[in-house]
Amino acid sequence: MLYAPLHPDPALPPVRINLYSDTQTRPTAAMKAAMVEAEVGDEQAGLDPTVNALCERMASLLGKEAAMFLPSGTMCNQIAIITHCRPGDEILAHGTSHILTSEGGGAAALAGAQITPLPGPGGQFDAAAVRAALRPRTRNAPPQALLEVEQTANAGGGTIWPLAVLNEVAAIAQEAGLATHMDGARLMNAVVATGIPAREMAAGYDSVWLDFTKGLGAPLGAVLAGSRDFIDAAWKWKQRMGGAMRQAGICAAACLYALDHHVDRLAEDHDNAKALARGLAQIPGLTVEAPETNLVFFDTRGTGLTAAELYARVRSHGVNFSISSTHRGRACTHLDVTRAQIDEALQVIRAALA
């Protein structure tokens, strides 16, 4: 099997402490109750009151004129790209961006656009990198149509783009005639960590989306926002790509519940990530990147093991984390991980390396 996900190995014990990803969160009992009680209608016809309420709230939160509800963040990115770009266009994005590394070549396959990777530490590029990538419009070069940023930068370590840099790179791009797009998968992590409102972070961006299935704990759903004209055009692609739904208020209710109850608590995840990073740094052989939000990256080279070999040892004790590269592991704190579980995970990792 190359593409279909494999079922868990039945010989392994159940996962007790799941640091694999904040996508592993499960809806709470109260969230499920909100879903059951949701008022619903035909979302595709604009008749679902819960979806409509979510989109109105998200447009306001993100400082945009309009918004649309979609099943996933990847669909948000791809619909945004295909709305902003035409076949042959060029997108400027960081070399570790999700749209480049983790969406199956969607920009090329669906929009016919190519992504030019920009360099920079921590999953971020600066004004100089943008200026260096811009070029005169000629018949020989692909038209440069879109600049994309990811807040927070996942592969960069969950780093937070400074507001001044976000504004500067967006202004340079727009002056050159490019549209701007923010992948806001973990935008609320950045908001909670900095105290800067989401609308301020997204002010320089023509489109932006927020994922509800990561730290916010909903079972599915993301919201893409932009101008009324942008969202109107994006609806054509929402329909074509199968993102137009029916009684989607059941899912939108989980997102509304998350906005009411799961945003401020992201600070707890950040504190747990710092505690995990401190503990990992005390284990001989591990080199740890200081976390800014809820993602903790660590290098295993000093232990003599690959990340996969360390994973195999701790997974046999019910602890799960993800593997970023040969020697780079990633642990993610979230709604379903307590401080006590952080302490227990550290004990398991210490024992695995003893």
Side-chain angles (χ1 to χ4, degrees):
M1 299 289 288
L2 285 176
Y3 304 115
L6 299 175
H7 293 291
D9 185 345
L12 290 173
V15 173
R16 295 181 297 107
I17 303 171
N18 196 344
L19 299 170
Y20 181 84
S21 175
D22 42 12
T23 60
Q24 305 286 297
T25 55
R26 295 159 298 181
T28 63
M31 180 180 281
K32 289 178 182 177
M35 296 171 72
V36 169
E37 295 167 3
E39 187 178 358
V40 299
D42 188 344
E43 186 266 355
Q44 192 174 131
L47 298 176
D48 191 299
T50 308
V51 171
N52 293 343
L54 174 64
C55 290
E56 289 170 10
R57 184 166 173 183
M58 286 304 301
S60 176
L61 180 74
L62 296 171
K64 305 303 177 188
E65 293 178 342
M68 67 159 62
F69 186 48
L70 290 166
S72 73
T74 292
M75 188 176 284
C76 286
N77 272 337
Q78 292 304 315
I79 286 178
I81 287 170
I82 207 167
T83 303
H84 285 304
C85 298
R86 296 295 175 266
D89 281 354
E90 181 179 49
I91 302 163
L92 303 180
H94 193 272
T96 63
S97 62
H98 197 272
I99 62 170
L100 181 59
T101 67
S102 303
E103 298 187 9
L110 302 174
Q114 67 183 45
I115 301 173
T116 294
L118 302 186
Q124 302 178 27
F125 48 82
D126 59 15
V130 177
R131 290 192 180 99
L134 295 174
R135 54 175 173 262
R137 293 182 180 267
T138 72
R139 67 175 185 272
N140 305 104
Q144 295 180 311
L146 183 65
L147 177 88
E148 189 260 9
V149 301
E150 188 177 318
Q151 178 76 313
T152 63
N154 174 16
T159 60
I160 301 168
W161 284 72
L163 182 59
V165 178
L166 284 175
N167 290 339
E168 185 178 21
V169 298
I172 293 168
Q174 289 170 342
E175 185 179 353
L178 281 71
T180 52
H181 173 66
M182 177 181 286
D183 174 335
R186 295 183 175 90
L187 176 59
M188 297 314 292
N189 288 91
V191 168
V192 168
T194 64
I196 300 170
R199 61 169 46 237
E200 289 188 28
M201 289 193 180
Y205 292 82
D206 298 305
S207 55
V208 56
W209 62 273
L210 176 67
D211 199 329
F212 287 92
T213 70
K214 295 185 168 66
L216 297 179
L220 63 84
V223 172
L224 175 66
S227 69
R228 285 189 181 85
D229 287 345
F230 170 82
I231 293 299
D232 183 62
W235 258 95
K236 175 174 64 177
W237 293 104
K238 173 178 162 88
Q239 182 72 33
R240 285 175 173 170
M241 296 175 71
M245 298 173 279
R246 297 302 181 185
Q247 287 71 38
I250 290 176
C251 301
C255 302
L256 286 167
Y257 181 91
L259 288 175
D260 289 334
H261 300 281
H262 291 173
V263 174
D264 291 343
R265 67 147 309 281
L266 291 173
E268 180 183 338
D269 297 340
H270 299 170
D271 289 343
N272 284 341
K274 290 180 175 66
L276 177 61
R278 286 193 299 268
L280 290 173
Q282 294 169 8
I283 299 175
L286 291 180
T287 302
V288 184
E289 301 171 27
E292 295 184 21
T293 50
N294 67 322
L295 303 180
V296 181
F297 286 81
F298 53 92
D299 192 289
T300 64
R301 261 177 286 234
T303 68
L305 300 177
T306 65
E309 289 168 338
L310 176 59
Y311 169 84
R313 293 187 183 188
V314 303
R315 179 62 186 85
S316 66
H317 294 278
V319 175
N320 199 17
F321 65 82
S322 62
I323 300 164
S324 223
S325 61
T326 303
H327 291 100
R328 195 182 190 216
R330 188 193 80 165
C332 182
T333 57
H334 52 78
L335 181 66
D336 291 343
V337 176
T338 66
R339 180 59 66 90
Q341 289 178 320
I342 294 294
D343 295 338
E344 185 179 352
L346 286 168
Q347 291 175 6
V348 171
I349 295 169
R350 285 191 199 99
L353 291 172

